[in-house]
């Protein structure tokens, strides 16, 4: 249940034992776990249950039964099969025993049908579009290298995969699992080049459903919640492809684990502020505005920001971005 899963929006997820299917293009791409996928399905079905109970009791009861079955899956009352079928080849299920063989996991590569190619917008271009650059070759394989566990320092291995996340850019997902202490991390790094300008994205959270929005936070991005006077510096959490809820959870864990992240001293007033912050995070951040509003601003980086990115010593004039849009 804890295996990491990358499911792109063109992938179909199936659990044949339950006759259950999440068809392609009904969900955005997610980086989650098998449990996360089941949770999302349960949440989706539960959403309209109060209305159904009022209008069609029979259907509501049937759906309730199915929700119970999904919940049983999470307890693994019986063995079941999870099938992820992605004609784009970009979905991924983690092998927790890597680099050892994973007896529970079968990966089958197949040639796309004409219909699948058309669905992906690859019609007729498939032959011309075979790019020869190394980034493209890397795309379909999981690379592995040896690292040390950040928690206990035992030798561990990191799996790396280049993924084109729909509506986002190309990113590199790196997952490290420690056999020694069980520590797991996953990190998302930008695969493309640094953009000519910085980006500031302001999201007004007006509805609890906003917490399910997908968020791609690069490793050089800082996060601010002005209502809580909270600021997370550049690089504190690394890169993440998650939902707003997932990001808030990560922030909470980070703050709980290491209160010093927020500053270099632990004076009593700072600790008090922290406790308040954790309390407010638990209640879910909710701003009482009427209109959800997302603002994206491009801005010129300051000298200090360029310094942090190591760009001041580099020639940035006439620069060609690698990950040209529309690939
Ligand atoms: Zn460890």
């Amino acid at each position: 249940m804890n295996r990491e899963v990358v499911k792109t929006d063109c992938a179909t997820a199936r659990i044949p034992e339950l006759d259950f299917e999440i068809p392609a293009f009904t969900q955005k791409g997610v980086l989650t776990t098998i449990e996360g996928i089941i949770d999302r399905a349960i949440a989706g079905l539960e959403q309209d249950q109060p209305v159904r109970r009022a209008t069609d009791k029979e259907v509501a009861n049937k759906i309730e039964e199915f929700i119970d079955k999904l919940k049983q899956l999470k307890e693994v009352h019986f063995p079941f099969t999870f099938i992820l079928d992605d004609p784009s080849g970009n979905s991924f299920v983690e092998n927790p025993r890597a680099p050892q063989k994973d007896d529970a996991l079968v990966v089958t590569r197949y040639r796309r049908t004409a219909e699948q190619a058309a669905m992906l917008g690859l019609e007729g271009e498939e032959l011309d579009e075979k790019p020869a650059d190394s980034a493209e070759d890397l795309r379909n394989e999981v690379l592995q290298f040896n690292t040390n566990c950040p928690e206990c320092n035992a030798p561990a291995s990191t799996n790396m995969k280049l993924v084109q996340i729909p509506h986002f850019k190309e990113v590199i997902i790196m997952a490290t699992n420690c056999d020694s202490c069980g520590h797991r991390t996953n990190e998302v790094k930008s695969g493309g080049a640094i953009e000519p300008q910085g980006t500031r994205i302001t999201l007004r959270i007006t509805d609890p459903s906003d917490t399910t929005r997908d968020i791609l936070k690069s490793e050089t991005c800082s996060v601010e919640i002005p209502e809580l006077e909270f600021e997370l510096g550049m690089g504190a959490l690394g890169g993440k492809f998650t939902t707003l809820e997932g990001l808030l959870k990560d922030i909470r864990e980070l703050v709980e684990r290491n209160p010093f992240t927020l500053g270099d001293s632990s004076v009593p007033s700072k600790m008090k502020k922290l406790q308040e912050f954790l309390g407010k995070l638990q209640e879910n951040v909710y701003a009482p505005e009427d209109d959800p509003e997302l603002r994206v601003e491009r801005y010129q980086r300051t000298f200090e920001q360029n310094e942090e990115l190591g760009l001041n010593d580099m020639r940035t004039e006439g620069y060609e971005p690698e990950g040209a849009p529309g690939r």
Side-chain angles (χ1 to χ4, degrees), residues 149-154 178-183:
C149 170
E151 208 68 20
C152 75
N153 211 35
C178 176
D179 289 337
S180 225
C181 74
H183 182 72

Side-chain angles (χ1 to χ4, degrees), residues 233-252:
M234 189 166 131
L237 264 181
K240 295 270 173 188
F241 178 59
T242 179
T243 57
L244 179 58
E245 187 184 11
L247 185 66
L248 291 177
K249 200 171 140 251
D250 286 341
I251 290 174
R252 199 178 69 217

